[in-house]
Amino acid sequence: MQESRYEAPKSRRKLVVGNWKMNGDRAANGALIDALRAGLEAGPEGGPDTDANGAAVALCVPFPYLAQVAGALDGSSIALGSQDASEYANGAYTGEVSVAMLKDFGCAYAIVGHSERRTLFGDTDERVALKAERVIAGGLVPIVCVGETGMEREQGRAEEIVAAQLDAVFERIGVAGMAASVVAYEPVWAIGTGRTASPEEAEAMHAMIRGHLAERDAAAASRLLVLYGGSVKASNAASLFGRDDIDGGLIGGASLVAEDFMGIVRAAVGTS
Ligand code: PEP
């Protein structure tokens, strides 16, 4: 195991978050949640322990299905999240969904700054920072996504790009805000491509991210959860999650298949 420059306190329990993206329908969602609950909540013999000694699990689902999934997760240890949130509190913002609405439906997490939002829907660093600030103010945990493109990595600029994305958020929410956030490192070239960052590449970036926060507050940095996202599968999850600065994963495609997602959760529990 690669040695981290920072102490990993026991409180850094692994977190596995499913990002369904724009997938699902009522029937498929119901079947998926049923299978996940049966597999993840069956106790030590039936499935991985997702209570305080295991890994935390959350599902970030499309807005229209928040109510359905909230109901299906009732009484479950699996948390609910959204894939985005408005930077505005409320009012004349047609098509937007506020943090208060997300809270109303039981969301604990909101992804902000996913690369698909950044590249396809114009979410700038500044808007991502505003969204993170709004999510924290509303009492939810933002999952702040950062990551470089393939070209930026080839140019040797990966760390510079990720640091700049982080700085935009730091500047707005400060150390206290970062301490209330989760960061997800998602190299754009690895999302949905089947090409995963190697555990060494991912660990190096995660250590940089933690080090960047440590320059401001070492204690907050040692507690920060930094997830890896980008073509994580059951077969590669343990080698990623086994690294000291990788605290779990943000999972796209594999979160749509119960067995695949549960295999990833098991890897998180096994490396906790
Ligand atoms: C994602 O959408 O956040 C993601 C990591 O997708 P995938 O796992 O499919 O690469």
Side-chain angles (χ1 to χ4, degrees):
M1 191 182 282
Q2 190 168 315
E3 205 179 309
S4 171
R5 285 178 286 157
Y6 306 99
E7 197 189 341
K10 294 266 180 296
S11 58
R12 247 169 61 205
R13 187 157 70 108
K14 291 240 168 17
L15 172 63
V16 179
V17 181
N19 172 18
W20 288 2
K21 310 195 191 203
M22 198 173 74
N23 292 296
D25 55 47
R26 290 183 75 86
N29 301 343
L32 180 54
I33 303 280
D34 285 351
L36 291 178
R37 290 197 66 168
L40 296 177
E41 297 171 0
E45 277 148 37
D49 175 7
T50 52
D51 71 9
N53 299 316
V57 178
L59 299 176
C60 292
V61 310
F63 293 133
Y65 296 123
L66 284 172
Q68 180 199 8
V69 176
L73 291 179
D74 193 31
S76 161
S77 60
I78 301 172
L80 183 64
S82 67
Q83 298 169 15
D84 196 16
S86 178
E87 70 261 45
Y88 303 108
N90 63 278
Y93 300 104
T94 301
E96 289 288 276
V97 175
S98 74
V99 174
M101 294 170 186
L102 299 175
K103 196 168 183 184
D104 218 8
F105 280 91
C107 285
Y109 297 94
I111 296 172
V112 296
H114 191 281
S115 69
E116 287 152 16
R117 302 289 329 163
R118 290 178 187 263
T119 57
L120 301 173
F121 302 101
D123 274 14
T124 58
D125 282 347
E126 190 191 13
R127 185 178 294 165
V128 173
L130 289 168
K131 288 181 175 186
E133 183 179 42
R134 185 68 70 187
V135 170
I136 294 167
L140 274 62
V141 176
I143 300 173
V144 180
C145 298
V146 293
E148 81 287 356
T149 63
M151 185 175 289
E152 289 162 345
R153 177 161 283 267
E154 276 166 30
Q155 293 168 343
R157 298 174 56 223
E159 293 204 357
E160 171 203 330
I161 296 294
V162 169
Q165 290 171 341
L166 282 173
D167 284 342
V169 179
F170 279 152
E171 273 160 31
R172 180 145 285 279
I173 67 175
V175 168
M178 286 309 297
S181 305
V182 169
V183 171
Y185 168 56
E186 298 209 304
V188 178
W189 48 271
I191 297 178
T193 59
R195 206 181 136 208
T196 317
S198 70
E200 292 74 23
E201 285 170 328
E203 171 63 19
M205 188 64 84
H206 283 230
M208 188 285 288
I209 291 169
R210 201 178 304 287
H212 213 62
L213 179 58
E215 286 166 15
R216 293 156 170 89
D217 187 318
S222 74
R223 286 192 298 270
L224 179 74
L225 290 186
V226 186
L227 310 184
Y228 170 78
S231 298
V232 177
K233 308 176 204 67
S235 56
N236 60 23
S239 62
L240 289 158
F241 299 167
R243 298 294 167 138
D244 281 351
D245 288 299
I246 303 181
D247 303 312
L250 181 53
I251 317 300
S255 71
L256 298 170
V257 180
E259 261 316 311
D260 294 352
F261 190 64
M262 289 192 293
I264 293 168
V265 175
R266 282 187 200 103
V269 172
T271 53
S272 285

